[in-house]
Amino acid sequence: MAVELKVPPLGESITEAVVGKWNKKPGDAVSADEPLVVLETDKVTIDVPAPAAGSLASVAFKEGDKVRVGDVLGLIEAGAGAAARPAAAAAPTAPAPAPVAAAAPAQESDARITPTARKMAEENKVDVSQLKGSGAGGRITKEDVLGQLNRPAAPSQPAAPAQPAGPRPNAAREERVRMTPLRKRVAERLVQAQSNAALLTTFNEVDMGEVMALRKKYNDKFQARHGVKLGFMSFFVRASIEALKAFPQVNAEIDGEDVIFKHYYDIGVAVSGSRGLVVPVIRNADKLSLAELEKGVGDLGTRARNDKLTLPELQGGTFTITNGGIFGSMLSTPIINPPQTGILGMHNIVERPVARDGQVVIRPIMYVALTYDHRLIDGREAVQFLVRVKECIEDPERLLLDV
């Protein structure tokens, strides 16, 4: 009995995905709930498990194809994989299983399209592998073929003239790779942010000496008690929350002609996943301790690298922090994550000569940047926001005493 492998619900407002990778080939044995195919959306990566044990009889979409919720990705011959192996072991000289296995994909291929539709497609040289069936179980019908024939000839390729008419001069030394849905979505949002907001960036420098001394003094005890290292991100999250409370415009959102002030603090932390930059959100960060913040950031970062983040963990957020310093960045101008109105950029820590009480001393300095939407936030508030962050980091007791 053939069991359909369908595209599952992908999450709110997500209707399509791209087939990222097939873990099995047609004819391979599969176990129930074994991840068969990886689907990539513009937000998350999803493993689609096998609905039954057996063998993968056919595949309807190849890697890179777009699919929609409910599409039949392939067919599983329930129990076929389990039965085939003992038969081969008991009668290795029997030639019968081989032709049956070879014929199965063709039979399944015939099952995907009605005879009338197949004849019409062959007469008009229509590639049925590119069609999505509207019949029962995703079967291709005559109407699907007619729809393809009546479709206007390639109106959706206005970008073609931008490509050189002839071969690229260095094509042999180049590699063309399709952009992933996540990377495309990141690109769209970055362009959207710069097109729809009045972005401006202000900078300041932070003396990290006090936080580094506090971290060095208590890190071992902190780790022994909480099971996580004491990092810098938790201090900056807490410092940002203090600054957001003082300057609520930075935690707000523009909605048409209205401004939505958010009296909660869901802080997004930009991390690099295996397929690009993602911004998982720490909910109600103002109610978490330093240890809980460190655990939350560490967990989100690990699951981002392993493509285990869920869609709700990437949605929302009132303010974002990004740390380019872990890659060695000295200074940058981060781009806000719409519809947020501000993002804080952290950078690397470098020993620099600075003046203190009339003396030139060497101190560990980090440059910080705040990019903000000037439609809502004036320069005065932006500068004072960074000053508040600076004060909290340079005098970390303020974070502990809430002053």
Side-chain angles (χ1 to χ4, degrees):
M1 180 182 66
V3 180
E4 294 179 337
L5 177 69
K6 292 186 176 182
V7 178
L10 302 172
E12 183 180 356
S13 76
I14 301 179
T15 59
E16 67 177 22
V18 170
V19 178
K21 178 184 178 183
W22 279 98
N23 297 322
K24 296 285 187 177
K25 302 186 298 295
D28 286 353
V30 299
S31 303
D33 298 325
E34 178 182 6
L36 284 188
V37 59
V38 178
L39 300 181
E40 297 179 2
T41 74
D42 58 1
K43 295 183 175 67
V44 293
T45 300
I46 299 170
D47 289 324
V48 181
S55 65
L56 183 59
S58 65
V59 169
F61 297 92
K62 60 181 182 296
E63 295 179 3
D65 285 350
K66 287 186 178 181
V67 294
R68 298 182 67 84
V69 174
D71 282 350
V72 178
L73 294 167
L75 295 174
I76 296 173
E77 192 65 33
R85 290 186 177 181
T93 59
V100 172
Q107 293 171 358
E108 295 296 347
S109 178
D110 292 340
R112 283 194 64 240
I113 183 170
T114 65
T116 304
R118 177 171 294 281
K119 182 179 179 181
M120 181 179 295
E122 291 174 351
E123 291 174 349
N124 293 276
K125 297 182 180 180
V126 174
D127 185 359
V128 295
S129 66
Q130 302 301 316
L131 298 181
K132 294 180 180 178
S134 60
R139 200 176 189 196
I140 298 170
T141 65
K142 178 180 69 173
E143 286 73 19
D144 297 322
V145 179
L146 285 172
Q148 179 69 17
L149 292 173
N150 294 329
R151 186 173 300 171
S156 60
Q157 297 182 350
Q163 295 290 337
R168 295 176 62 87
N170 293 299
R173 296 186 292 171
E174 297 175 341
E175 179 185 6
R176 184 183 294 272
V177 179
R178 180 173 295 183
M179 190 178 291
T180 65
L182 176 59
R183 175 54 59 187
K184 287 173 62 178
R185 182 58 174 163
V186 169
E188 291 169 0
R189 289 181 67 82
L190 293 179
V191 173
Q192 174 191 351
Q194 297 195 67
S195 300
N196 298 338
L199 300 185
L200 190 62
T201 304
T202 186
F203 304 92
N204 212 320
E205 62 179 21
V206 176
D207 187 335
M208 298 293 293
E210 293 299 322
V211 166
M212 293 175 71
L214 189 66
R215 185 169 175 248
K216 182 178 180 180
K217 181 177 181 180
Y218 292 107
N219 187 54
D220 291 342
K221 294 180 179 178
F222 186 90
Q223 187 172 2
R225 180 168 183 176
H226 300 291
V228 64
K229 291 183 178 180
L230 180 59
F232 295 127
M233 182 58 75
S234 58
F235 286 98
F236 276 92
V237 171
R238 290 285 292 272
S240 296
I241 291 171
E242 292 302 313
L244 291 172
K245 290 178 179 178
F247 303 97
Q249 303 97 314
V250 189
N251 200 50
E253 172 187 337
I254 296 177
D255 184 17
E257 297 182 355
D258 299 327
V259 177
I260 301 175
F261 289 93
K262 302 172 183 178
H263 303 296
Y264 57 95
Y265 305 91
D266 291 347
I267 307 299
V269 180
V271 294
S272 294
S274 65
R275 290 177 171 82
L277 183 72
V278 292
V279 187
V281 178
I282 302 175
R283 309 290 176 185
N284 299 312
D286 57 315
K287 303 183 184 302
L288 303 179
S289 65
L290 291 178
E292 290 170 328
L293 289 173
E294 290 293 347
K295 290 179 181 178
V297 171
D299 175 61
L300 292 174
T302 299
R303 289 192 289 118
R305 290 186 290 272
N306 296 325
D307 293 322
K308 298 300 182 183
L309 289 173
T310 62
L311 186 59
E313 291 172 318
L314 297 169
Q315 293 178 326
T318 62
F319 183 76
T320 296
I321 301 176
T322 180
N323 184 9
I326 59 177
F327 304 112
S329 172
M330 182 190 76
L331 197 62
S332 65
T333 55
I335 301 176
I336 63 172
N337 185 21
Q340 298 172 18
T341 56
I343 180 172
L344 178 71
M346 300 165 55
H347 301 91
N348 63 354
I349 302 170
V350 178
E351 289 190 341
R352 305 183 188 278
V354 296
R356 292 288 187 270
D357 301 323
Q359 301 289 326
V360 176
V361 296
I362 304 299
R363 299 294 296 172
I365 300 297
M366 175 192 288
Y367 294 140
V368 290
L370 176 72
T371 297
Y372 58 98
D373 191 341
H374 209 346
R375 296 178 300 168
L376 181 59
I377 304 166
D378 292 330
R380 179 184 63 179
E381 285 76 21
V383 170
Q384 290 178 329
F385 178 95
L386 272 190
V387 169
R388 187 59 177 265
V389 171
K390 173 184 172 72
E391 291 173 347
C392 290
I393 297 298
E394 292 185 345
D395 187 9
E397 284 83 0
R398 296 170 64 102
L399 297 176
L400 304 177
L401 299 176
D402 194 24
V403 296

